[in-house]
């Protein structure tokens, strides 16, 4: 489940930094200094908003999690990340273009918003990983419930759990290190 949350972090973070860097070279209507300062403030606001929204829903679903059964289809990490990124590729491309275009009004601010959303998703995945370590389980969403990558959407009735060494993802959605 944390893999789905974490899947959007990198495709928002890196294009956001690139758009902010492009914006730093464009004078814009408000000037570089005001644009980058506004971008820094927006980065913090978006980071907090993304990281702390729907945490109650995640906790509620985690509290009612049941052990994964034989009939549950659980995807590995690479397939989950690939599916999420394919389902959202046009939104990500559009967001990047809007962030670059916004540099002509507020230089760097649009890129900082994108980067803040990516950092917020990463922080949310880290917090889920802490819960997984504390509970000594990995949380999973059945593939038929997750749809296009919504780990706490309307269709999700509950999470499934496995042991902490099951699958190819570490707690928090990172790649499992092979020893």
């Amino acid at each position: 489940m944390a893999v789905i949350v974490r899947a959007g972090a990198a495709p928002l973070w890196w294009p956001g930094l690139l758009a902010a860097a492009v914006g730093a070279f464009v004078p814009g209507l408000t000037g570089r200094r005001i644009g980058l300062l506004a971008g820094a403030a927006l980065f913090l606001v978006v980071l907090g908003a993304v990281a702390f929204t729907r945490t109650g829903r995640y906790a509620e679903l985690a509290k009612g999690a049941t052990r994964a059964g034989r009939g549950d289809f659980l995807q590995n990490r690479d397939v989950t990340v690939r599916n999420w990124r394919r389902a959202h590729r046009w939104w990500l491309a559009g967001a990047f273009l809007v962030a670059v275009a916004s540099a002509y009004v507020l230089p760097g601010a649009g890129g900082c918003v994108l980067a803040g959303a990516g950092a917020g998703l990463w922080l949310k995945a880290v917090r889920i990983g802490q819960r997984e370590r504390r509970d000594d389980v990995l949380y999973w969403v059945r593939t038929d419930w997750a749809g296009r990558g919504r780990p706490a959407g309307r269709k999700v009735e509950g999470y499934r759990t496995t042991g902490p060494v099951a699958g190819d993802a570490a707690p928090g959605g990172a790649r499992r290190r092979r020893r």
Side-chain angles (χ1 to χ4, degrees):
M1 185 269 305
V3 173
I4 299 173
V5 174
R6 192 179 177 125
L12 289 170
W13 172 256
W14 292 111
L17 287 182
L18 181 63
V22 168
F25 293 111
V26 177
L29 295 176
T30 60
R32 285 187 194 107
R33 181 172 172 222
I34 292 174
L36 291 174
L37 286 174
L42 286 171
F43 175 86
L44 294 174
V45 169
V46 170
L47 181 134
V50 169
F52 297 110
T53 55
R54 298 186 60 97
T55 55
R57 173 83 171 142
Y58 284 97
E60 174 189 325
L61 290 170
K63 195 182 329 175
T66 59
R67 189 86 176 145
R70 289 183 186 254
D72 291 334
F73 290 102
L74 306 173
Q75 290 178 342
N76 68 3
R77 184 186 187 283
D78 294 334
V79 173
T80 303
V81 170
R82 183 177 61 237
N83 288 345
W84 189 95
R85 289 181 181 170
R86 278 185 185 164
H88 295 90
R89 66 178 167 241
W90 294 111
W91 287 103
L92 294 168
F96 174 71
L97 291 176
V98 167
V100 170
S102 73
Y104 292 105
V105 177
L106 224 81
C112 288
V113 167
L114 272 184
L121 286 175
W122 179 81
L123 183 61
K124 186 181 285 191
V126 167
R127 293 184 69 221
I128 292 168
Q130 290 171 346
R131 179 183 204 86
E132 288 176 333
R133 281 187 196 89
R134 186 185 68 220
D135 296 344
D136 202 31
V137 296
L138 289 179
Y139 293 111
W140 299 79
V141 177
R142 287 179 42 169
T143 57
D144 54 337
W145 290 350
R148 303 184 98 203
R150 290 185 168 76
R154 274 184 259 134
K155 292 173 75 176
V156 178
E157 298 172 13
Y159 292 148
R160 301 293 191 241
T161 62
T162 59
V165 294
D168 61 344
R175 278 193 183 97
R176 183 174 302 284
R177 305 256 189 254
R178 300 289 181 203
R179 292 181 202 186

